[in-house]
Amino acid sequence: YQAKRAGGHFVLHEARTEPLDPQMLSLTAELRSAIDRDELLLFLQPIVTADTRRLVGAECLVRWQHPRRGLLPPGEFVPRAERSGLIVPLSDWVMREALTIAANLRACGQDLRLSVNVSRRALTEPGFADLMTRYLAERAIPADRLMLELTEQTLMSDEPAGRAVMGQLQAAGVGVAIDDFGTGHSQLAYLKSLPVAQIKIDKSFVSDVTTSSTDFAIVRALVELAHALDIQVVAEGIEQETQAQALAGIGCDLLQGYLIGRPMPVDAFRAWIEQPAQSHSSAG
Ligand code: C2E
Ligand code: MG
Ligand code: MG
Ligand code: MG
């Protein structure tokens, strides 16, 4: 049951196979030192308003620049880090790096809200909310410029620790978003009992919104529900202009996806902001 709560059947499967695979074992060992060796980096993916496509934020997505294997996506090492406990130092690195990037962008007049993905294990690490407050204060970043993305699974865990941290984060002014909304065991009760600022509608709904009347109806109902509860709606994984228009038409507040911009290194993100199409958006 513990294993199930920690991450579903996938955990049991990995627990069985991982010790037999030396390559996977060495990857975990390497990740330990990669965190200290500056081999991790954050990519930024723009988030824009649905109506005028004004840049308002970005999601921070971790990558591992592995010395031999090249640039590894988070799917290759984040689940592993979650199981080994390395997710705690990894999340700490991600948070400090994201807030340093935010501070640098602010210094250049870009007042963006940065979204950071947080695993359940990192969220419930003792002192998490205090640490966030300290990191924000050290860089003079207002708390409402940070949005923490949690999955439905993390939110649904009835563990009191998780709820307590969310209450502390809300009191501190940090926003909480529900990531991949609609893919978990959707249980709408937590929308009224937990302090949620944003839901991110999963790309599995977004990709079919123009072709499936069912998906269209679901997304439209979700937007209506969210707005009634004063929750902002982000549509993620937008690849086509027709999707962007349909979602804006339904009333989604924000858009994110390859159509708007790919996840990119910080320098490329800065260059992207300076493009003529984006130039009207600087400094809000
Ligand atoms: P996520 O938080 O749902 O992030 C969105 C994922 O969708 C990203 O994959 C992004 O590159 C991808 N994406 C964005 N727009 C599009 C699109 O238009 N089409 C398609 N097909 N994909 C799109 P990525 O970067 O591989 O990240 C995968 C997952 O890894 C993330 O899903 C998140 O759950 C996790 N992750 C990423 N960074 C971190 C981190 O720093 N900490 C933790 N704990 N998890 C992270
Ligand atoms: Mg996310
Ligand atoms: Mg997502
Ligand atoms: Mg995802």
Side-chain angles (χ1 to χ4, degrees), residues 78-89:
V78 166
R80 198 175 307 281
E82 284 171 347
R83 290 191 300 278
S84 64
L86 280 179
I87 192 65
V88 174

Side-chain angles (χ1 to χ4, degrees), residues 66-269:
H66 191 281
R68 292 183 319 280
R69 294 174 209 204
L71 192 66
L72 300 180
E76 301 266 328
F77 61 93
V78 166
R80 198 175 307 281
E82 284 171 347
R83 290 191 300 278
S84 64
L86 280 179
I87 192 65
V88 174
L90 188 148
S91 294
D92 191 62
W93 182 89
V94 165
M95 202 58 71
R96 285 185 284 115
E97 180 70 8
L99 292 175
T100 299
I101 291 169
N104 291 338
L105 287 169
R106 288 177 74 73
C108 302
Q110 291 294 332
D111 181 20
L112 302 179
R113 183 174 215 182
L114 287 200
S115 298
V116 180
N117 297 282
V118 181
S119 299
R120 178 170 167 274
R121 176 98 174 248
L123 181 81
T124 55
E125 184 74 3
F128 179 82
D130 288 342
L131 198 62
M132 291 308 103
T133 307
R134 201 185 90 203
Y135 286 167
L136 287 161
E138 281 171 357
R139 295 163 183 80
I141 300 169
D144 70 356
R145 303 290 78 199
L146 175 63
M147 179 75 76
L148 300 182
E149 298 193 2
L150 313 176
T151 61
E152 290 184 308
Q153 195 175 7
T154 296
L155 283 163
M156 271 178 53
S157 106
D158 54 3
E159 197 176 276
R163 286 176 175 263
V165 187
M166 287 185 65
Q168 289 166 0
L169 290 169
Q170 185 196 34
V174 174
V176 168
I178 309 182
D179 205 354
D180 306 338
F181 193 81
T183 57
H185 312 272
S186 289
Q187 188 176 295
L188 297 175
Y190 57 59
L191 286 183
K192 72 169 189 178
S193 62
L194 293 173
V196 172
Q198 203 176 70
I199 59 173
K200 301 191 75 172
I201 302 200
D202 192 69
K203 58 176 170 279
S204 56
F205 291 103
V206 166
S207 54
D208 293 334
V209 83
T210 54
T211 52
S212 155
S213 56
T214 308
D215 286 48
F216 183 86
I218 290 171
V219 174
R220 194 175 49 188
L222 285 177
V223 171
E224 198 180 328
L225 172 70
H227 286 172
L229 300 172
D230 217 15
I231 294 171
Q232 204 177 35
V233 182
V234 186
E236 61 178 354
I238 297 184
E239 296 180 349
Q240 293 164 17
E241 182 60 39
T242 50
Q243 294 165 348
Q245 282 174 13
L247 290 155
I250 290 172
C252 278
D253 304 291
L254 303 173
L255 306 180
Q256 176 183 357
Y258 294 169
L259 175 76
I260 313 296
R262 296 226 165 207
M264 48 198 139
V266 177
D267 286 349
F269 181 76

